Amino acid sequence: QVQLVESGGGLVQAGGSLRLSCAASGRTFSRYAMGWFRQAPGKEREFVAAISGGGTITTYTEPVKGRFTNSRDNAKNTVYLQMNSLKPEDTAVYYCAFGVYYSGSQKAHEYDYWGQGTQVTVSS
């Protein structure tokens, strides 16, 4: 069983920054990819970013490339999502997810544990 605890969401003005954190416990953290997904009101959950178990490979959805940075500290069993130049369209509940494999994936079904979600609201 894996537990994921997210933190760092909040309200920010457009152009501002937030850093999300997700602390994991219950499994050897460095062996598995971690992903970030988000869900805006009335929309389906969508992939945001993923990072491989060792932290050397990251992938991003196109709308966040160059603005978001996904990183991990395996000594602390924690993954981070640094979000800069935030836009109103980034407003959503953000979820971290624990991967089934070492390599990251954009597919939600390749993650088997999910955090509780943290709200990010960007005002214009």
Side-chain angles (χ1 to χ4, degrees), residues 29-32 34 52-55 72-78:
F29 184 70
S30 62
R31 293 182 181 177
Y32 300 94
M34 294 293 294
S52 61
R72 64 192 295 161
D73 185 339
N74 285 344
K76 296 182 178 179
N77 283 12
T78 301

Side-chain angles (χ1 to χ4, degrees), residues 71-88:
S71 62
R72 64 192 295 161
D73 185 339
N74 285 344
K76 296 182 178 179
N77 283 12
T78 301
V79 64
Y80 305 97
L81 186 67
Q82 177 68 43
M83 305 185 295
N84 298 329
S85 302
L86 283 161
K87 303 176 180 180

